[in-house]
């Protein structure tokens, strides 16, 4: 694949409602859409960094600058045989995984279209449908939360995740459990607790949660291993797992019993697959997290979740849960059994609505091979 042209677009696409975690609120997708051209074929990718460095250190502006100044020059005009090569090509740029992933994704789309294979096929997926849940942000009060949970369970979601923070953790779980004693439920702290504060989360042990996601610092593994010894409820790591090496450390230290894999967080699909494979051989189940992506990132997540060790429902809800109108013409809809259907068309399977994409583009830059 000779890379002739790359186009980057900074976008803003507002969410149906703001999404609040323990540390920040997002009112829309501030991301970068990547378009790569090779031999008459187009590949799409997305870097869902967000407007501020709240989830990790990246923002849409840092991703933009890293892509245009460092990553694009590494691939423009080069001939790339397989998307698995991208990770190595980008490896001397430290960190900036979300920036790297957006470009890597576009190569998988390109490669799939060139070889007539779907992303799921390329990655070795084994499922035609993937089970999905929904992630619910922090709400003004428990009544509103209960209303939302009710609504989403009625829509068919198979599992509920709620965001928690110190002072808003045990109470909302009690309220949900009072109404739904057994429904699959998990909580996500997005690194909001100190070790001492987190010890009290053992009160959640009696509520039969699937797991507690990332209670401690975004860059911690060791303290999570100490904390896991104090709970029955499994710990799941999200922010802390930024590479295969981190996954290996976390598994060896028993810092978590479950891993959330987000291909954006780990720098792309090749890294995501390697973490999946290691987790599988280590007996650690994984699930696919989300970054409130547009239909492009969503298609990628759904394909990844079709791999065999994705045995827990993903944070990959139907497009209509996030946006009034998405940038794809073929949004995912929730099947009656709480699944999304894995795309079978070549590449990532997203059919981009280019006219609408243009209307939500804040800035655009084009690089051509001279
Ligand atoms: O921690 O999983 C997270 C959204 C943005 C950043 C971090 C997280 C989330 C979510 C939403 O929980 C998942 C989704 O529906 O895309
Ligand atoms: Mg999380």
């Amino acid at each position: 694949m000779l890379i002739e042209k790359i186009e980057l677009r900074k976008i803003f696409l507002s969410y149906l409602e703001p999404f609040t975690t323990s540390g920040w609120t997002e009112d829309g997708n501030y991301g970068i859409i990547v378009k790569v051209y090779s031999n008459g074929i187009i590949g799409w990718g997305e870097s869902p960094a967000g407007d501020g460095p709240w989830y990790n250190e990246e923002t849409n502006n840092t991703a933009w600058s890293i892509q245009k100044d460092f990553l694009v020059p590494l691939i423009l005009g080069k001939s790339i045989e397989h998307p698995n090569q991208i990770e190595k090509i980008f490896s001397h740029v430290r960190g900036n995984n979300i920036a790297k992933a957006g470009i890597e994704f576009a190569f998988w789309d390109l490669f799939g279209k060139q070889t007539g294979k779907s992303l799921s096929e390329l990655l070795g997926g084994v499922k035609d449908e993937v089970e999905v849940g929904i992630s619910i942000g922090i709400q003004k009060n428990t009544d509103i939360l209960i209303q939302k949970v009710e609504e989403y369970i009625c829509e068919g979601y198979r599992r509920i995740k709620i965001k928690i923070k110190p002072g808003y953790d045990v109470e909302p779980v009690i309220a949900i459990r009072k109404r739904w004693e057994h429904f699959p439920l998990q909580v996500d702290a997005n690194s909001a607790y100190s070790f001492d504060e987190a010890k009290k989360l053992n009160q959640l042990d009696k509520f039969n949660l699937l797991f507690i996601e990332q209670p401690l610092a975004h860059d911690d593994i060791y303290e999570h291993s100490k904390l896991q010894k104090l709970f029955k409820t499994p710990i799941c790591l999200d922010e802390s797992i930024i590479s295969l090496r981190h996954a290996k450390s976390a598994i060896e230290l028993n810092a978590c019993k479950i891993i959330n894999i987000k291909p954006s967080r780990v720098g792309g699909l090749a890294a995501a697959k390697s973490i999946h494979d290691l987790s599988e051989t280590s007996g650690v189940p994984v699930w696919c997290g989300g970054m409130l992506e547009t239909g492009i990132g969503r298609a990628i997540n759904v394909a990844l979740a079709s791999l065999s060790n994705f045995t827990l429902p993903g944070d990959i809800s139907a497009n209509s849960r996030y946006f009034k109108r998405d940038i794809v013409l073929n949004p995912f809809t929730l099947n009656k059994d709480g699944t999304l259907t894995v795309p079978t068309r070549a590449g990532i399977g997203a059919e981009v609505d280019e006219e609408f994409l243009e209307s939500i583009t804040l800035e655009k830059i084009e690089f051509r091979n001279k």
Side-chain angles (χ1 to χ4, degrees), residues 247-267:
K248 193 160 180 282
S249 302
I251 292 171
E252 284 186 16
L253 280 167
N254 292 310
C256 62
K257 294 182 179 161
I258 293 165
I259 293 178
N260 164 336
I261 299 183
K262 293 180 184 174
S264 294
R265 189 194 65 227
V266 301

Side-chain angles (χ1 to χ4, degrees), residues 3 20 22 50 76 121 197 200 279 287 309 311 362:
I3 307 313
T20 301
S22 59
L76 189 65
E121 243 181 305
E197 287 168 332
K200 290 183 234 151
S279 302
W287 58 285
N309 195 38
T311 50
L362 307 175

Side-chain angles (χ1 to χ4, degrees), residues 269-321:
L269 286 158
K273 180 168 165 55
S274 69
I275 296 170
H276 164 273
D277 293 352
L278 170 75
S279 302
E280 185 157 57
T281 51
S282 310
V284 172
V286 303
W287 58 285
C288 186
M291 293 288 289
L292 309 166
E293 288 94 342
T294 73
I296 293 176
R298 197 159 304 288
I300 290 159
N301 288 344
V302 170
L304 179 67
S306 72
L307 300 188
S308 55
N309 195 38
F310 281 86
T311 50
L312 290 155
D315 274 351
I316 348 173
S317 310
N319 306 56
S320 62
R321 178 259 185 275

Side-chain angles (χ1 to χ4, degrees), residues 19 24 26 55 135 161 163 188 190 213 238-239 260 262 290-293 315 322:
F19 188 83
W24 73 95
E26 301 192 30
Y55 168 73
S135 174
K161 155 166 145 184
K163 295 289 190 182
D188 185 0
N190 288 105
E213 185 176 342
D238 172 354
E239 283 89 331
N260 164 336
K262 293 180 184 174
M291 293 288 289
L292 309 166
E293 288 94 342
D315 274 351
Y322 305 91

Side-chain angles (χ1 to χ4, degrees), residues 64-130:
W64 179 261
S65 119
I66 292 289
Q67 287 177 343
K68 93 186 161 46
D69 295 341
F70 300 101
L71 302 178
V72 165
L74 286 171
I75 50 175
L76 189 65
K78 302 273 157 57
S79 189
I80 288 161
E81 294 318 311
H82 195 282
N84 277 332
Q85 292 168 248
I86 303 288
E87 197 181 5
K88 176 110 187 284
I89 295 171
F90 287 170
S91 66
H92 58 280
V93 173
R94 304 280 193 233
N96 293 285
N97 281 351
I98 300 179
K100 290 173 178 172
I103 295 179
E104 197 242 22
F105 295 157
F107 278 89
W108 286 96
D109 191 27
L110 207 55
F111 187 63
K113 286 169 176 163
Q114 199 180 57
T115 56
K117 290 188 175 151
S118 70
L119 179 58
S120 169
E121 243 181 305
L122 292 176
L123 295 172
V126 296
K127 291 181 258 185
D128 301 326
E129 270 115 36
V130 297

Side-chain angles (χ1 to χ4, degrees), residues 123-333:
L123 295 172
V126 296
K127 291 181 258 185
D128 301 326
E129 270 115 36
V130 297
E131 268 185 77
V132 297
I134 189 158
S135 174
I136 305 178
I138 289 175
Q139 303 296 317
K140 282 212 181 69
N141 59 54
T142 318
D143 289 345
I144 300 176
L145 176 66
I146 293 295
Q147 242 174 46
K148 296 246 172 253
V149 172
E150 165 105 65
E151 195 182 303
Y152 294 134
I153 290 178
C154 287
E155 281 179 33
Y157 287 101
R158 294 260 275 250
R159 170 282 271 163
I160 297 292
K161 155 166 145 184
I162 62 163
K163 295 289 190 182
I164 59 166
K165 63 178 180 182
Y168 177 98
D169 42 30
V170 181
E171 191 199 319
V173 169
I174 291 176
I176 293 173
R177 277 294 176 241
K178 227 158 113 189
R179 179 86 178 268
W180 298 276
E181 209 184 326
H182 301 295
F183 196 83
L185 177 65
Q186 66 202 46
V187 298
D188 185 0
N190 288 105
S191 316
Y193 293 78
S194 68
F195 186 78
D196 282 332
E197 287 168 332
K199 282 183 195 165
K200 290 183 234 151
L201 292 174
N202 67 358
Q203 294 172 72
L204 295 176
D205 271 351
K206 52 178 179 290
F207 297 109
N208 184 30
L209 301 181
L210 289 164
F211 54 80
I212 299 176
E213 185 176 342
Q214 196 73 35
L216 306 178
H218 68 98
D219 56 358
D220 171 77
I221 293 177
Y222 175 61
E223 284 199 322
H224 280 101
S225 75
K226 291 203 294 180
L227 190 65
Q228 180 67 88
K229 292 196 184 81
L230 309 177
F231 299 168
K232 227 176 50 203
T233 310
I235 289 178
C236 166
L237 289 179
D238 172 354
E239 283 89 331
S240 296
I241 307 298
I242 55 172
S243 68
L244 176 63
R245 199 164 43 77
H246 286 70
K248 193 160 180 282
S249 302
I251 292 171
E252 284 186 16
L253 280 167
N254 292 310
C256 62
K257 294 182 179 161
I258 293 165
I259 293 178
N260 164 336
I261 299 183
K262 293 180 184 174
S264 294
R265 189 194 65 227
V266 301
L269 286 158
K273 180 168 165 55
S274 69
I275 296 170
H276 164 273
D277 293 352
L278 170 75
S279 302
E280 185 157 57
T281 51
S282 310
V284 172
V286 303
W287 58 285
C288 186
M291 293 288 289
L292 309 166
E293 288 94 342
T294 73
I296 293 176
R298 197 159 304 288
I300 290 159
N301 288 344
V302 170
L304 179 67
S306 72
L307 300 188
S308 55
N309 195 38
F310 281 86
T311 50
L312 290 155
D315 274 351
I316 348 173
S317 310
N319 306 56
S320 62
R321 178 259 185 275
Y322 305 91
F323 307 107
K324 191 161 140 223
R325 178 172 175 186
D326 205 329
I327 59 172
V328 294
L329 297 163
N330 57 342
F332 291 94
T333 52

